[in-house]
Amino acid sequence: DRAAYANHRYELVLTDLASGRTRVLDRSPIHRIAGLAWSPDGRWIAYGLEEERQKVSLWICEAATGRRHRVTRGALKDLSPVFDPEGRYLYFLGYRQFNPVYDQMHFDLGFPGGMRPYLVTLRKDLRSPFLPEPKAAEKKPDKETKKKTPVRIDFDGIERRILPFPVPEGRYAQIGALKNGAVFSAVPIQGLRENLLRDDDAPKAKLVAYAFDARKPETLVDGIGSFELSADAGTLYYTSGGRLRAVKAGEKPDEKHEDDPPGKKSGWIDLARVRIGVEPPREWAQM
């Protein structure tokens, strides 16, 4: 019943879809809002705010009151926040790895990677999901209920509860929240000549999943452009070479159907079926 969006005035805006009432929740003096995400219960909005040049911090705003809370104070940039579907963690991508590399041609230092995925535990009583958890004797699970519990956030000391994912430093483009872990796209480091000579649409990122129970990263797909998750985090959609595919989130697609035509088995979606209505006179008037 509400929509949150960022505009070209560097504002974070909230609109009540029933009444049409719009209000500005926050504004950056420098650049556009660096990603935004709703909490599962619709109470909170997480977003990246550039307060100083080249410094982006994460904030959480309570939609009803407009009250803002700082989550991180990044040395450089903390981007792309996304809530865990169960409201336990906030995931994000951060430029926080200061591990310089010597140049081979000149006596100089650079930071070709510098990024990692991170998470923040939203409550004080939550332990690190990267540590093994002792398991009791198995019993029949209780019947699951679909009732959503409110997301509780302990803002006191939240900046001290930031944990890095145990994955290599590198370049990461996106991060998404799974039901018991996260998925992110890792982009290879390439030379400028190589980038200029290649087709810009060629897929080059790896889709990597990290499950908390397995406690290790797993490459799901090699060679993607971008990805999105469904609202229930059950289906993942990714682009590859101008094509679109739907697969089960967090699981490796069956390679046997990789080259199959569009359909349920392969997951490829036939984009030729898309039809768009165009009314040129109305478009010209708007332009």
Side-chain angles (χ1 to χ4, degrees), residues 90-112:
L90 181 73
Y91 305 134
F92 68 94
L93 299 175
Y95 289 82
R96 290 168 166 258
Q97 296 295 305
F98 298 98
N99 182 20
V101 177
Y102 273 106
D103 184 78
Q104 287 286 76
M105 304 293 182
H106 301 278
F107 184 73
D108 202 354
L109 291 166
F111 300 89

Side-chain angles (χ1 to χ4, degrees), residues 181-200:
V183 62
F184 30 86
S185 57
V187 183
I189 296 171
Q190 294 177 313
L192 183 61
R193 270 186 67 193
E194 191 176 354
N195 277 333
L196 289 173
L197 292 173
R198 69 181 294 158
D199 180 5
D200 287 338

Side-chain angles (χ1 to χ4, degrees), residues 245-247 253-254 257-269:
R245 192 181 192 187
V247 297
D254 190 347
H257 303 293
E258 180 79 23
D259 299 321
D260 287 4
K264 285 186 177 180
K265 281 188 177 180
S266 67
W268 293 110
I269 297 171

